[in-house]
Amino acid sequence: MTIEKLAEEHSKNYREQEVKRHRKLPIWESHRRSHGISELFGRHEHSFGRGLARHGDNISNAPNKFFPRGLFFTLRLEHRSGGFVSQFPGEERFLLFRSDEPGAIAKIIYSIGPHDGNVMKAQVHVLDVKPEYRGRDFGGLLFGQAMEALTRRNDNMTVHCQLEAEENMQRFNRLIHFYKQLGCEMKPNAKIQYLYNNDGDTYRKVPMSIFLKNQTGQNREVSDLKCFLPIKFLEITGCDIELALEGASTNRQLSWLLADSGSGYMQFRTTMGHYLRAKTSGICDITDDPDSDINFFLYRMSDEDVDSDNLLVERVEGVQRKELWMIESVHGSFLTGDCGRLSFSVAPSFWQADDENLSLIYTTDTPPRRLHYRESWIKQTIVYVKEMKERYCNFLLAKMTLRQVIDLVRAIRCHPHNTQPTGASIRTLSFSSAEKARSEGLPDWVQLVALIHNLGVVISLLDTQTAADAEDGYNWTIASRSRVVGCAAPERASFSEYRKLNAEDQYYSTPQGIYDVNCGLENVLLSWSGPEYMYSFMKYNGALLPDEGFYMLRYFCLGDWHTHDEYKQLTNEKDENMKTFVSEFDSLRRSALTDIGEELPESECDRLWHEYYSLVVEKYGLDGQLNW
């Protein structure tokens, strides 16, 4: 069979496998059940009690005062008038309650005074949020509700509401700034009172007021909030994902609420009374119209859903906290935080729910990627690695040239964990990586390593067992982050929440494990992968690379070593001397993967090969038929 026919046959088979795999993995289709607030944030009650994160805090270490005793609850807002507890004529109150106990955690008390012509007078007497619940703009929520209630009393009247902002001088102007953001102004020529309390601090009372009229497009009443929580949209770095409110009368930063609509939908609201809306065009904006497209579905992408037989996953601490969620609009589009801004996309986009600071964190992670790493943690043991070496390092699968293999892997896409079976091929990535190294003036042997470092994926086309494993969700040929087996993996290892699924985890619990101290990385067992296969392939076929080239090829996936300085108990002086070369190569190939564009045409691949890379391959002894 000619290489052209072989490539065509393998390409067809691989595409069929991809279609089958993507029919299995889009679990938003096969497990389409909308979830609510309690399932999003209330599934890990044991983890509560570490406090709310401040902007810029390390999310994983942030204390959570919002759930101080480790009990999950939601919030509700109530509007009350008069009653025996009233202290002022015409008194009204907005109260914020927890769902699990009596007593308001925040309140605003205001009263309505006599009319002066077409002006209705009002006074805010109390606006208070308990200290452990501050920082989520509950004060702004309550004030907005009170002002909305006042303006709705009479559409034809202006409301003149007065208040006294009492602030500690040590926090000079912070409270004044807060009220100004809400639309209040200091009274002209007002007399400011200074108070000296027994605590030794100085306070001041600043008279302020606001004039309001009922205008469409301003705050809407959201006192129907019976079940909600404050949330943040965050990037993985912890920075806020923001949405500008165009044409608004205030530039106040948006504070979000996740609310149960009571009809099977979820809504994202702001403390200013606006609703997040998904337009059919994919634009994400804010509306005041509660009848608009403001309803969303929450879908959980659990590891249990991926493989219901593996119930152990549900019992492993930390796994549920990393599981993925999708937020789908009524139009079928998905909320994304790509490029640091909220928008909607046709392709599924994923979030992680951080119950320690009530945040939705945008992630580029996908269910196929989580499945791959989960299976890697389960399978990659000393026994497995040795069996794979014995099976594949005799190189009896095929005899082919490098160019034939490069053409063969055009059937495989370079982003294997994407949720859509599209994108450039491994062949395009191979030439793009090599060209990037060439354009940066790196030696031709670095260009060669860049050209071939991903070619181990060809085994998924040549070997039926590997193809079957890939169809089931684990393709060892993919160049993903590796680790040393036979010793404790670093805490920061990729997807380390799955480490307890590894049968050897309890036996090799020390950093040294089964190895001699400072034995050198050349003497350890790495998890079996495509790059590890290619390293053995190059050695077996007599490639004339310098040691630096072999190090780059074998260890670029070992990011915990070359980037995070792990495995110090195992490395030796040679490893340390090679580390910079490996780290820089890893950065280069990751950059090439990020920048990859459209599929290279056949003519361009032919030109690059015949004009340049065939000569490099020949120089380093890899021309002719090679053993795979």
Side-chain angles (χ1 to χ4, degrees):
M1 181 181 294
T2 65
I3 188 61
E4 289 77 11
K5 289 185 177 180
L6 180 65
E8 182 179 351
E9 180 180 334
H10 283 308
S11 179
K12 178 182 178 182
N13 292 339
Y14 191 82
R15 283 196 300 269
E16 290 176 352
Q17 292 172 14
E18 284 284 275
V19 170
K20 291 179 182 178
R21 189 167 69 91
H22 282 275
R23 284 175 180 167
K24 293 173 62 177
L25 291 176
I27 46 186
W28 50 91
E29 294 293 341
S30 57
H31 296 79
R32 202 177 187 86
R33 184 175 73 85
S34 184
H35 295 76
I37 295 177
S38 61
E39 292 165 298
L40 184 66
F41 289 123
R43 302 178 65 239
H44 323 297
E45 292 191 5
H46 61 278
S47 69
F48 293 151
R50 303 183 190 175
L52 289 174
R54 300 179 299 275
H55 177 75
D57 279 354
N58 183 314
I59 295 173
S60 61
N61 296 327
N64 191 340
K65 298 177 183 177
F66 204 85
F67 298 101
R69 293 188 298 278
L71 300 175
F72 175 78
F73 56 84
T74 57
L75 302 176
R76 74 180 187 276
L77 191 63
E78 293 187 9
H79 182 207
R80 298 178 182 179
S81 301
F84 69 92
V85 297
S86 297
Q87 299 178 347
F88 307 96
E91 178 180 314
E92 296 187 10
R93 301 173 296 281
F94 276 94
L95 306 174
L96 191 59
F97 293 95
R98 287 172 46 159
S99 61
D100 63 334
E101 62 182 35
I105 65 172
K107 62 187 176 182
I108 185 170
I109 301 174
Y110 60 98
S111 62
I112 302 169
H115 294 184
D116 184 4
N118 288 327
V119 178
M120 180 173 66
K121 293 187 177 181
Q123 178 80 32
V124 174
H125 303 284
V126 176
L127 177 56
D128 180 58
V129 179
K130 288 187 176 181
E132 60 265 37
Y133 301 100
R134 293 173 185 170
R136 293 284 178 154
D137 198 33
F138 289 148
L141 171 65
L142 293 170
F143 188 87
Q145 291 302 290
M147 297 304 103
E148 182 66 25
L150 288 171
T151 57
R152 284 179 175 271
R153 287 184 170 275
N154 194 322
D155 291 346
N156 299 320
M157 296 190 68
T158 298
V159 177
H160 181 206
C161 184
Q162 303 180 75
L163 60 93
E164 286 186 327
E166 182 177 322
E167 68 176 3
N168 191 317
M169 290 294 289
Q170 293 185 359
R171 305 178 67 191
F172 185 75
N173 261 347
R174 291 187 64 177
L175 186 59
I176 305 302
H177 178 69
F178 166 75
Y179 280 117
K180 283 185 175 180
Q181 285 191 312
L182 295 173
C184 299
E185 296 292 341
M186 295 176 61
K187 289 184 177 181
N189 304 317
K191 183 179 179 180
I192 299 177
Q193 299 181 52
Y194 291 89
L195 308 173
Y196 302 93
N197 287 1
N198 293 331
D199 58 9
D201 290 336
T202 302
Y203 294 80
R204 66 170 183 166
K205 284 186 176 181
V206 180
M208 303 186 75
S209 65
I210 183 173
F211 287 88
L212 299 164
K213 292 200 72 171
N214 188 11
Q215 299 176 2
T216 302
Q218 298 300 312
N219 259 333
R220 295 189 62 89
E221 188 169 6
V222 290
S223 56
D224 60 331
L225 283 168
K226 302 300 182 185
C227 178
F228 74 96
L229 281 175
I231 67 163
K232 292 177 180 286
F233 292 109
L234 298 180
E235 297 182 81
I236 197 67
T237 58
C239 296
D240 288 307
I241 299 175
E242 298 180 356
L243 180 67
L245 184 57
E246 296 181 1
S249 59
T250 176
N251 59 359
R252 185 158 59 105
Q253 181 178 345
L254 296 177
S255 296
W256 294 98
L257 308 173
L258 175 62
D260 191 332
S261 70
S263 57
Y265 299 103
M266 304 305 297
Q267 296 174 347
F268 296 95
R269 308 187 186 185
T270 73
T271 53
M272 298 170 68
H274 303 282
Y275 300 84
L276 184 70
R277 175 174 60 176
K279 290 187 174 182
T280 55
S281 62
I283 294 175
C284 181
D285 71 353
I286 293 177
T287 181
D288 299 290
D289 182 6
D291 298 323
S292 191
D293 300 327
I294 61 170
N295 293 319
F296 300 91
F297 302 98
L298 293 179
Y299 296 122
R300 170 184 167 227
M301 307 291 104
S302 74
D303 292 312
E304 181 184 20
D305 287 336
V306 173
D307 183 0
S308 59
D309 293 333
N310 194 351
L311 299 180
L312 177 61
V313 173
E314 285 292 290
R315 299 195 293 269
V316 175
E317 183 178 357
V319 170
Q320 289 184 351
R321 194 179 317 284
K322 297 292 185 67
E323 65 191 7
L324 304 179
W325 292 79
M326 292 192 309
I327 303 168
E328 185 181 22
S329 75
V330 292
H331 303 301
S333 57
F334 299 92
L335 184 66
T336 178
D338 194 24
C339 300
R341 61 183 182 86
L342 293 176
S343 61
F344 286 90
S345 67
V346 176
S349 194
F350 301 98
W351 302 78
Q352 290 176 323
D354 188 339
D355 50 24
E356 294 184 352
N357 76 339
L358 293 183
S359 296
L360 286 170
I361 303 170
Y362 175 69
T363 176
T364 55
D365 205 356
T366 63
R369 187 166 181 259
R370 285 189 63 78
L371 175 60
H372 172 83
Y373 276 95
R374 190 197 74 177
E375 293 301 303
S376 176
W377 277 99
I378 293 172
K379 295 180 183 296
Q380 295 281 355
T381 63
I382 293 176
V383 173
Y384 177 84
V385 171
K386 288 183 176 180
E387 286 179 351
M388 299 300 273
K389 282 179 172 288
E390 183 177 350
R391 180 187 302 173
Y392 293 106
C393 287
N394 53 18
F395 301 100
L396 297 176
L397 289 176
K399 279 184 173 292
M400 291 185 291
T401 66
L402 269 182
R403 177 60 198 273
Q404 287 174 327
V405 169
I406 290 174
D407 284 340
L408 200 57
V409 297
R410 71 175 182 267
I412 304 176
R413 61 198 180 99
C414 66
H415 292 287
H417 301 312
N418 280 4
T419 55
Q420 302 295 317
T422 59
S425 70
I426 291 292
R427 182 176 73 169
T428 292
L429 178 61
S430 294
F431 280 116
S432 298
S433 301
E435 283 293 276
K436 186 169 185 63
R438 185 181 176 188
S439 67
E440 294 185 6
L442 297 174
D444 56 4
W445 55 267
V446 177
Q447 301 165 29
L448 176 58
V449 174
L451 181 71
I452 60 94
H453 76 282
N454 262 309
L455 295 186
V457 296
V458 75
I459 304 304
S460 63
L461 302 177
L462 301 178
D463 180 60
T464 55
Q465 182 60 54
T466 302
D469 292 342
E471 185 177 346
D472 289 336
Y474 181 60
N475 185 350
W476 63 261
T477 67
I478 293 173
S480 54
R481 284 307 187 200
S482 62
R483 56 189 173 86
V484 179
V485 298
C487 66
E491 288 298 321
R492 67 180 310 128
S494 296
F495 296 88
S496 63
E497 64 266 25
Y498 294 127
R499 68 171 63 238
K500 295 299 182 183
L501 300 178
N502 187 283
E504 294 179 346
D505 180 72
Q506 58 181 317
Y507 301 111
Y508 305 117
S509 57
T510 65
Q512 182 180 336
I514 64 173
Y515 305 105
D516 295 331
V517 176
N518 302 126
C519 62
L521 293 180
E522 289 180 302
N523 297 305
V524 304
L525 291 172
L526 292 185
S527 51
W528 184 250
S529 64
E532 181 73 350
Y533 168 85
M534 287 304 297
Y535 167 78
S536 299
F537 163 85
M538 296 287 275
K539 287 284 189 177
Y540 185 88
N541 283 280
L544 304 176
L545 289 177
D547 282 350
E548 290 84 353
F550 283 110
Y551 259 79
M552 288 177 180
L553 180 57
R554 189 182 189 197
Y555 301 111
F556 75 84
C557 285
L558 195 62
D560 290 329
W561 165 61
H562 64 69
T563 300
H564 302 298
D565 209 26
E566 301 282 359
Y567 298 112
K568 286 186 176 180
Q569 292 84 352
L570 304 179
T571 57
N572 58 22
E573 184 178 356
K574 181 179 180 180
D575 299 326
E576 294 305 307
N577 292 336
M578 295 289 186
K579 183 184 292 185
T580 300
F581 294 107
V582 178
S583 180
E584 290 179 355
F585 176 75
D586 184 53
S587 297
L588 179 140
R589 66 104 195 172
R590 290 166 72 90
S591 176
L593 181 61
T594 300
D595 297 340
I596 196 167
E598 299 294 326
E599 180 73 5
L600 288 179
E602 194 77 27
S603 58
E604 179 64 9
C605 294
D606 284 340
R607 185 189 68 80
L608 290 172
W609 179 262
H610 291 297
E611 291 184 3
Y612 185 72
Y613 289 104
S614 62
L615 303 177
V616 176
V617 167
E618 182 180 2
K619 177 180 177 180
Y620 291 98
L622 293 173
D623 53 327
Q625 297 285 315
L626 304 173
N627 295 296
W628 297 83

